[in-house]
Amino acid sequence: MQISYLVIALLLLTGVSYFWGRRRAVSLAKGEHLVVLHSLPSFHGAYVALWCGLPALLLVALWMILEPQIVEAVVINQLPADRAILAISDPNVFKLLLTDIRNLASGNIVSQTIDPALQAAANSYMRYEAISQQALFLVALSMAIVMGSFARTRLSQRFRARNRVEKIARWAMMTASLIAILTTVGIVLSLIFETIRFFDKVPFDEFLFGLKWSPQMAMREDQVGSSGAFGAIPLFAGTFLITLIAMVVAVPIGLFSAIYMSEYAGPTMRSVVKPALEILAGVPTVVYGFFAALTVAPFFRGAGESLGLDVSSESALAAGVVMGIMIIPFISSLSDDVMNAVPQSLRDGSYALGATQSETIKQVILPAALPGIVGAVLLAVSRAIGETMIVVMAAGLAANLTANPLEAVTTVTVQIATLLVGDQEFDSAKTLAAFALGLVLFVITLCLNMVALRVVRKYREKYD
Amino acid sequence: MSERTKQRYAAERRFRLYGLAAIGAAVLVLATLVTSIGIVGMPAFFQTYIKLDVTVDAADVESGRFRQLTFDAVYAFHPEVTDRREKKRLRGIVSSGADREIRLAVADDPSLIGTTFPIWVRSSDDIDIFIKGQVSRDLPQEDRRVKDNEIAWVDGLVEQGRVETRFNFSFFSTGDSREPEQAGIWGAVVGSFFTLCVALAVSFPLGVLAAIYLEEYAPQNRWTDLIEVNINNLAAVPSIVFGLLGLAMFLNFFGMPRSAPVVGGMVLALMTLPTIIIATRAALKAVPPSIREAALGIGASELQVVTHHVVPLAMPGILTGTIIGMAQALGETAPLLMIGMVAFIVDIPQGIFDPSTVLPVQIYIWADSPERAFVAKTSAAILVLLTFLVCMNAIAVMLRKRFERRW
Amino acid sequence: MSVAEQLENSGQPEKAVERKSKVIGKDITVHYGEKQALFDVNLAIPEHQVTALIGPSGCGKSTFLRCINRMNDVIDGCRVGGELTVDGVDIYRSNIDVVELRARVGMVFQKPNPFPKSIYDNIAYGPRIHGQASGRGEMDEVVETSLRRAGLWDEAKDRLEEPGTSLSGGQQQRLCIARAIAVNPDVILMDEPCSALDPIATARIEELIDELRERFTIVIVTHSMQQAARVSQRTAFFHLGVLVDEGETDQIFTNPKDERTQDYITGRFG
């Protein structure tokens, strides 16, 4: 990566210019106390360094984003008309050829014969790329030097280097804080664009209300009925079923452990159980998935057999229970916080009336903490819905519209993962369906989170 | 004591019991998880070796006939086996990578050429499992992959002292392989390392800068509120959605390389950003305002207050949050599946642009493999991953304990 | 505008002051968001004297104090109106550099707030960021002089590398004073500097304030009228965001013109 050399050179130059500016500032003080300077020499140095480094690095970043597209467009325009259409319509063909040419240039043998016109185009592509890279080196380095020198000439005793550097720093921080918004926008845009393309191929109502899901057929276009079926109801039902099982496991266990931990447990017990729960919370989901497939599913299957029940080896029950286990620490730590926020005075009031501890908890603390606990459970639900690895490894692949927890069901996340892992064609309804499912998932979890966070926030404000 | 009071105390005891039972259940599950994976995974740290007597001459080295040499050495144990199917079974007791081991040994010590020398090579995965006692001899032959005659051969080898179980060093030094006995986690560990480096390099500066802005600079207005709500929501967005973002944005829109740590790292960085921002803000908030006032009062500028006083004091908290965020990133699988880090990659990645996989994805790949020996490998990889995670969390806890400051 | 006119505006016509005014506030108003905290305060603070700002809590005395070195800038939604000059320069003009202003107008806070660094670094921090001392030798000198002036040298000279927080409360407050005078300001603002200290430490600080008056102009906010009477030469009484009364300390305490001042100092409210 030659660009990385350029970046390193620019960074070095920036470092050097810092000391360069700093030295000049010291000399500006003319041997007197530095107090004659408006700003400390280090700020002068930083000012020069910023002028030296920032514009040049921004230029490099811009170039890296724009250059390939510009050069590609130029080269494609030079192609004979029919090929240009081909290359534009299928950029993969063109890129494939480029790779071949690069291999050829570096001495690797390419077996297939190459269309001379395309080869010429690829050659000129590489020539342009080389030229533009050299140009970039030249422009970026000279830009750094010129800008840095210019900034250095501006330094003077009363020059407000500090204020300027602080302003830039402030801008940098503000930009960093925008990342959160940019990420959300990025998520929404990338999901929405692909989803719109998906709904070009599959009607909206069929997706939302259809009862049959079998996207695999979409790959074989020559076959009759190749359109596949994209009714997502079985997925929603499966997700709901597994989430429900998870909550049935996690809510009572998590809540009761939180109650015990915050109200009954002594310090020794806390010091043992808290880390255990933290470990449970830190176990990666892929491990839970493996645990579900390796231990829990066979266990349920065996137990079912001995009871005369037919339990699928990818039963919703196994996936749901393990997901519930994953969520226990989540619920318990959130509810623990919430119950600790209930003021001691409420407890005192209840004890003073002669209530036992459990009566106090049931009739005073839990009602007071209820909004917070509801918020915690909502967050947990959103987590369960979005959890991927456990269900990918332990739940089924086939969409199965059933409410029987002993059968295999599939979920939204499983389908997203299986549709997008492996070969992809970006215009098949199969891959696009994954984005539509992703959008549904995002919207649902977003709503749950918003409500939950608002509830928790309101609750906290009440007792702050 | 009245009847009613007795009932109330009984209710109290019951309630307490529920709490204890809940905690017991949680702890029990944790114990089951760790022990079941531990028991299954432990054998994978060991590997069965078989001693062959190999004859190598110069012609073999020149033509590279090591494969044939290996076969010959195995056939030599039982010259009476002539049936082609049977011969295939016979040579199947050593790993298909055995010829490579012989070649390396010869390359290492050219004086072996022209001699017959003993060499320990890996057994195949089925034999390895059998030797470790995980296949019961009592099973009917159809139900096990190691057949009766293979058992007889192996028993013979054991009697001759040609079978040994050693610590499996190469599990920690090789990349993935289709053959369980040759597969290692080093490729995935390196991939994880590169990915985390990228994630850290992106999310730490961005997260800390954003947190400083929100906590120290930003005015309280709608815009700041919007950013805050966004951050809190991002913290709860399912990880697979970040994978979709990476796929649509980084791969398809910006045309970045598939399966590369650079993309994986960026996706994980966006995912851990909320964690780091929230932790950093909490740490900054814990620095008492009197410190800021003191510094401002003697004429420190805003930036100096932040860099000289607030951030150094908040550093332990910031680092703790960052380590926890990185631990999350280390265990994350789903978004990386979306950006193609799930490919089968044998080579150890050399940089952040090379195709690679990461530990949790490696676990997923192995868990999905049909060979039985991969079950143990998967568990062993999980043990390694959990060790890393426990270490990271322990460091975080230590940092918090050591530098916790009360004002 | 002359000092005499200033004093006229604040309802103090008769007594001409011989000293030059260091800080002059004219029609100062302060809003915190919607709430107005100060109403048209006109106050002149003479050089090399201790001026005490007294009044019941929430009366705006601290707010006024924090205007003088623009510490209010830090508070969200705080707006300051009117004209406040230090040495004749309006400090709320847009081209005034707050950092330079605060180097000239130092501040000591209610609670001792040494940095969690060594005693030495606590003092050296200000001169360092203002580029006032080059080299270790010069810095040592500044640290020693500041500690001496704050009367802390004898107690601290053998433990300069220990954290500032290891000192007792009174010592910490003197460290903060030493830290403030290390940058050699003209004005030192003190916001109830003794409220967190015991009587002995308080006496020590009061003594110190009296000594410092020779070199610095001091403005002190205090909730204790005895303290105001002991340390200050001039006193200003604030009530509900309004400057009610202002003048020589003796005169304010013996012969207040405003009824509210009278009520306050005789302890009828506050």
Side-chain angles (χ1 to χ4, degrees):
Chain A
M1 284 257 92
Q2 287 184 305
I3 294 296
S4 53
Y5 291 122
L6 178 63
V7 171
I8 291 170
L10 285 176
L11 289 179
L12 277 177
L13 212 58
T14 309
V16 169
S17 64
Y18 170 81
F19 290 103
W20 199 41
R22 206 187 128 101
R23 247 208 8 230
R24 173 156 161 97
V26 174
S27 72
L28 279 172
K30 300 197 183 71
E32 278 182 66
H33 252 296
L34 292 176
V35 78
V36 299
L37 296 176
H38 170 274
S39 310
L40 285 179
S42 56
F43 278 112
H44 285 96
Y47 175 75
V48 176
L50 282 173
W51 268 104
C52 170
L54 261 192
L57 286 171
L58 282 179
L59 179 81
V60 173
L62 209 66
W63 181 85
M64 277 171 68
I65 294 169
L66 293 181
E67 188 262 3
Q69 281 152 26
I70 293 175
V71 173
E72 250 166 53
V74 169
V75 171
I76 288 173
N77 275 335
Q78 286 179 349
L79 281 171
D82 54 330
R83 297 246 163 62
I85 291 161
L86 181 75
I88 290 165
S89 65
D90 194 354
N92 284 332
V93 171
F94 185 66
K95 274 185 188 146
L96 215 61
L97 192 82
L98 273 174
T99 331
D100 283 350
I101 298 290
R102 284 210 186 95
N103 284 339
L104 201 64
S106 62
N108 294 339
I109 301 120
V110 182
S111 53
Q112 76 204 88
T113 47
I114 290 156
D115 186 322
L118 280 183
Q119 173 155 16
N123 279 336
S124 67
Y125 175 91
M126 289 181 54
R127 205 176 59 240
Y128 284 138
E129 212 171 41
I131 292 173
S132 88
Q133 196 163 47
Q134 283 164 3
L136 174 78
F137 267 65
L138 205 71
V139 173
L141 286 175
S142 47
M143 190 163 163
I145 293 170
V146 169
M147 293 286 204
S149 319
F150 171 69
R152 188 171 174 271
T153 58
R154 295 189 61 187
L155 303 187
S156 67
Q157 279 196 359
R158 297 310 300 163
F159 181 68
R160 296 187 159 200
R162 171 167 43 73
N163 308 40
R164 281 156 206 269
V165 170
E166 299 229 339
K167 203 174 237 168
I168 295 172
R170 201 187 163 119
W171 270 100
M173 291 180 200
M174 206 162 96
T175 318
S177 74
L178 289 185
I179 279 290
I181 290 189
L182 285 181
T183 310
T184 311
V185 171
I187 289 176
V188 170
L189 284 186
S190 47
L191 292 180
I192 280 187
F193 274 121
E194 309 293 347
T195 306
I196 289 173
R197 286 174 63 196
F198 174 70
F199 285 130
D200 280 348
K201 295 173 193 290
V202 176
F204 181 73
D205 52 337
E206 186 197 322
F207 174 72
L208 270 193
F209 305 113
L211 297 180
K212 190 167 181 312
W213 177 269
S214 64
Q216 297 305 331
M217 282 144 71
M219 287 291 279
R220 287 173 286 169
E221 283 170 36
D222 50 329
Q223 280 198 341
V224 188
S226 69
S227 60
F230 291 98
I233 288 289
L235 310 189
F236 299 149
T239 309
F240 178 73
L241 179 61
I242 289 184
T243 305
L244 189 72
I245 297 170
M247 287 302 132
V248 167
V249 172
V251 172
I253 297 187
L255 198 56
F256 269 108
S257 348
I259 290 173
Y260 195 88
M261 292 291 284
S262 75
E263 306 293 328
Y264 288 107
T268 1
M269 175 118 184
R270 271 178 168 272
S271 68
V272 175
V273 176
K274 262 227 141 116
L277 284 174
E278 267 167 37
I279 293 177
L280 214 51
V283 172
T285 53
V286 68
V287 177
Y288 282 112
F290 184 64
F291 178 63
L294 179 80
T295 314
V296 180
F299 172 75
F300 281 135
R301 202 177 149 78
E305 259 168 25
S306 61
L307 290 174
L309 292 170
D310 184 24
V311 182
S312 159
S313 60
E314 293 174 329
S315 65
L317 187 63
V321 166
V322 173
M323 194 185 276
I325 293 170
M326 179 200 87
I327 287 176
I328 290 171
F330 190 74
I331 290 194
S332 83
S333 83
L334 279 178
S335 337
D336 196 359
D337 287 353
V338 163
M339 280 189 280
N340 278 332
V342 175
Q344 183 63 32
S345 57
L346 283 183
R347 293 185 177 90
D348 292 346
S350 169
Y351 291 140
L353 290 174
T356 66
Q357 208 165 353
S358 65
E359 286 160 352
T360 307
I361 293 166
K362 277 184 279 191
Q363 283 156 27
V364 177
I365 297 174
L366 284 184
L370 195 63
I373 293 173
V374 168
V377 171
L378 284 181
L379 280 177
V381 169
S382 128
R383 238 181 114 132
I385 291 177
E387 169 49 38
T388 310
M389 290 322 290
I390 294 177
V391 280
V392 164
M393 295 169 82
L397 279 180
N400 198 352
L401 190 55
T402 175
N404 180 358
L406 304 180
E407 280 183 51
V409 295
T410 191
T411 72
V412 174
T413 49
V414 171
Q415 289 306 316
I416 297 176
T418 42
L419 291 177
L420 288 180
V421 171
D423 294 329
Q424 297 165 8
E425 275 176 89
F426 249 82
D427 33 8
S428 85
K430 185 189 153 205
T431 35
L432 294 176
F435 285 92
L437 289 176
L439 187 63
V440 172
L441 184 66
F442 180 70
V443 170
I444 290 176
T445 50
L446 187 75
C447 293
L448 280 172
N449 297 340
M450 290 278 242
V451 173
L453 289 172
R454 183 150 296 194
V455 169
V456 173
R457 201 169 167 178
K458 278 264 160 65
Y459 169 76
R460 291 213 170 278
E461 276 165 8
K462 197 165 123 198
Y463 288 122
D464 260 351
Chain B
M1 211 186 288
S2 76
E3 197 54 31
R4 189 164 157 67
T5 317
K6 266 187 205 148
Q7 277 175 11
R8 284 172 64 202
Y9 275 117
E12 168 77 28
R13 272 192 301 277
R14 267 203 309 279
F15 192 75
R16 243 183 123 123
L17 207 68
Y18 295 151
L20 266 179
I23 291 181
V27 173
L28 183 76
V29 163
L30 181 65
T32 318
L33 191 149
V34 173
T35 46
S36 73
I37 288 175
I39 289 171
V40 176
M42 263 325 185
F45 293 114
F46 299 92
Q47 168 68 39
T48 305
Y49 282 77
I50 291 174
K51 187 162 81 173
L52 299 181
D53 294 318
V54 191
T55 314
V56 182
D57 46 40
D60 294 329
V61 178
E62 206 145 300
S63 56
R65 289 178 62 246
F66 290 101
R67 211 172 167 71
Q68 195 55 49
L69 286 179
T70 319
F71 294 166
D72 291 345
V74 186
Y75 296 152
F77 293 143
H78 292 281
E80 75 280 4
V81 177
T82 48
D83 180 53
R84 269 194 58 214
R85 295 256 288 288
E86 290 292 291
K87 276 177 98 170
K88 200 173 164 200
R89 289 208 155 277
L90 178 56
R91 72 187 191 225
I93 63 175
V94 300
S95 162
S96 63
D99 54 320
R100 195 170 152 269
E101 292 177 54
I102 295 172
R103 199 186 57 208
L104 290 177
V106 173
D108 224 31
D109 182 5
S111 71
L112 292 172
I113 299 171
T115 62
T116 300
F117 58 92
I119 182 166
W120 290 94
V121 299
R122 286 150 195 282
S123 74
S124 68
D125 50 327
D126 289 335
I127 301 302
D128 182 51
I129 289 181
F130 172 71
I131 293 288
K132 285 169 182 165
Q134 291 171 32
V135 180
S136 166
R137 288 162 192 262
D138 305 333
L139 277 177
Q141 188 169 205
E142 313 81 80
D143 288 356
R144 48 182 150 87
R145 281 176 60 92
V146 186
K147 306 296 177 198
D148 286 343
N149 53 352
E150 285 172 284
I151 292 180
W153 294 331
V154 172
D155 285 344
L157 290 176
V158 172
E159 262 167 47
Q160 293 172 42
R162 284 184 176 272
V163 177
E164 223 177 79
T165 301
R166 303 182 184 170
F167 188 75
N168 189 5
F169 285 105
S170 70
F171 180 66
F172 296 99
S173 62
T174 59
D176 195 8
S177 167
R178 296 273 186 227
E179 305 299 329
E181 75 276 6
Q182 297 170 38
I185 52 166
W186 184 240
V189 169
V190 172
S192 270
F193 175 76
F194 283 136
T195 308
L196 280 197
C197 282
V198 174
L200 184 65
V202 174
S203 65
F204 182 72
L206 276 181
V208 172
L209 286 182
I212 293 176
Y213 178 75
L214 292 175
E215 201 58 41
E216 305 286 325
Y217 285 86
Q220 267 302 323
N221 57 25
R222 281 224 175 131
W223 186 238
T224 326
D225 264 4
L226 181 70
I227 296 179
E228 278 206 54
V229 170
N230 245 297
I231 291 171
N232 288 331
N233 273 319
L234 279 182
V237 166
S239 61
I240 195 166
V241 172
F242 283 95
L244 291 174
L245 167 77
L247 176 58
M249 277 281 179
F250 297 149
L251 296 190
N252 290 344
F253 190 73
F254 288 115
M256 292 165 109
R258 267 180 85 80
S259 311
V262 65
V263 181
M266 278 164 61
V267 170
L268 293 183
L270 292 183
M271 247 188 68
T272 46
L273 208 57
T275 312
I276 295 184
I277 293 180
I278 292 169
T280 305
R281 290 191 66 178
L284 293 174
K285 218 175 249 160
V287 175
S290 68
I291 299 285
R292 294 180 183 83
E293 285 198 325
L296 284 174
I298 38 177
S301 64
E302 273 180 316
L303 189 65
Q304 285 170 330
V305 173
V306 168
T307 53
H308 294 171
H309 299 283
V310 181
V311 169
L313 290 174
M315 220 14 140
I318 297 176
L319 289 181
T320 310
T322 309
I323 294 174
I324 289 173
M326 285 298 114
Q328 271 173 19
L330 177 59
E332 197 52 67
T333 321
L336 302 181
L337 300 183
M338 302 290 99
I339 54 158
M341 288 189 92
V342 66
F344 171 70
I345 290 149
V346 178
D347 297 327
I348 312 292
Q350 301 297 315
I352 57 170
F353 296 100
D354 286 357
S356 52
T357 185
V358 294
L359 257 180
V361 177
Q362 186 72 73
I363 290 167
Y364 169 67
I365 295 173
W366 282 351
D368 235 21
S369 304
E371 287 90 349
R372 212 183 133 197
F374 271 128
V375 174
K377 294 272 166 184
T378 312
S379 306
I382 287 177
L383 292 179
V384 173
L385 177 63
L386 287 182
T387 312
F388 278 125
L389 288 175
V390 167
C391 288
M392 284 170 89
N393 281 306
I395 293 173
V397 170
M398 244 169 53
L399 262 177
R400 197 165 50 194
K401 284 247 159 74
R402 175 113 171 58
F403 292 99
E404 202 170 43
R405 202 188 270 271
R406 290 255 173 267
W407 269 283
Chain C
M1 181 174 295
S2 78
V3 180
E5 277 169 320
Q6 276 299 315
L7 292 174
E8 258 170 31
N9 287 341
S10 62
Q12 285 283 304
E14 72 277 356
K15 207 159 190 184
V17 187
E18 61 275 33
R19 287 180 187 269
K20 191 176 141 228
S21 288
K22 188 80 182 170
V23 179
I24 299 167
K26 192 184 159 213
D27 298 331
I28 302 292
T29 58
V30 175
H31 289 80
Y32 291 124
E34 296 299 300
K35 200 174 151 268
Q36 187 161 5
L38 275 187
F39 298 84
D40 301 312
V41 171
N42 290 288
L43 181 66
I45 289 161
E47 218 174 18
H48 295 302
Q49 280 200 339
V50 178
T51 305
L53 312 181
I54 61 169
S57 34
C59 66
K61 54 193 194 299
S62 282
T63 301
F64 180 76
L65 188 80
R66 294 169 71 96
C67 286
I68 303 176
N69 70 346
R70 290 183 58 174
M71 282 297 278
N72 282 332
D73 289 20
V74 199
I75 299 162
D76 265 344
C78 175
R79 281 170 296 128
V80 178
E83 188 187 81
L84 212 157
T85 60
V86 174
D87 282 337
V89 180
D90 182 0
I91 60 166
Y92 278 90
R93 239 168 42 206
S94 60
N95 64 344
I96 284 293
D97 195 318
V98 200
V99 164
E100 285 183 303
L101 168 71
R102 290 183 193 146
R104 290 181 47 217
V105 184
M107 187 150 186
V108 176
F109 298 86
Q110 191 167 0
K111 247 183 79 194
N113 54 356
F115 299 126
K117 301 179 178 214
S118 71
I119 294 175
Y120 186 97
D121 285 337
N122 259 289
I123 313 275
Y125 182 68
R128 200 174 284 147
I129 58 170
H130 294 297
Q132 288 170 334
S134 41
R136 179 87 191 184
E138 213 171 312
M139 189 61 89
D140 287 346
E141 222 171 277
V142 173
V143 170
E144 185 178 337
T145 334
S146 315
L147 282 173
R148 274 189 197 288
R149 284 196 190 140
L152 195 60
W153 177 247
D154 293 328
E155 290 148 89
K157 68 180 173 208
D158 298 323
R159 45 195 294 201
L160 290 176
E161 293 310 317
E162 279 175 41
T165 41
S166 68
L167 297 168
S168 73
Q171 287 172 328
Q172 284 191 15
Q173 194 60 299
R174 274 180 282 146
L175 177 64
C176 293
I177 293 175
R179 182 176 65 189
I181 59 189
V183 292
N184 205 15
D186 299 333
V187 184
I188 301 179
L189 311 176
M190 298 188 175
D191 191 356
E192 303 194 21
C194 303
S195 64
L197 304 180
D198 60 62
I200 297 172
T202 301
R204 191 86 176 71
I205 302 270
E206 286 178 2
E207 237 169 76
L208 177 61
I209 291 172
D210 202 47
E211 287 162 25
L212 290 176
R213 163 161 79 90
E214 270 178 47
R215 294 177 163 274
F216 309 100
T217 303
I218 294 174
V219 188
I220 178 171
V221 165
T222 174
H223 61 264
S224 140
M225 282 167 293
Q226 291 85 340
Q227 186 170 56
R230 283 194 298 266
V231 298
S232 72
Q233 285 74 52
R234 292 188 73 82
T235 297
F237 172 63
F238 285 75
H239 182 55
L240 296 176
V242 179
L243 176 63
V244 173
D245 211 345
E246 187 259 353
E248 300 270 342
T249 301
D250 295 343
Q251 174 247 311
I252 290 280
F253 277 93
T254 52
N255 186 20
K257 283 179 297 304
D258 195 290
E259 208 171 303
R260 287 169 289 182
T261 321
Q262 175 91 49
D263 288 351
Y264 182 66
I265 60 178
T266 50
R268 243 170 260 164
F269 73 94

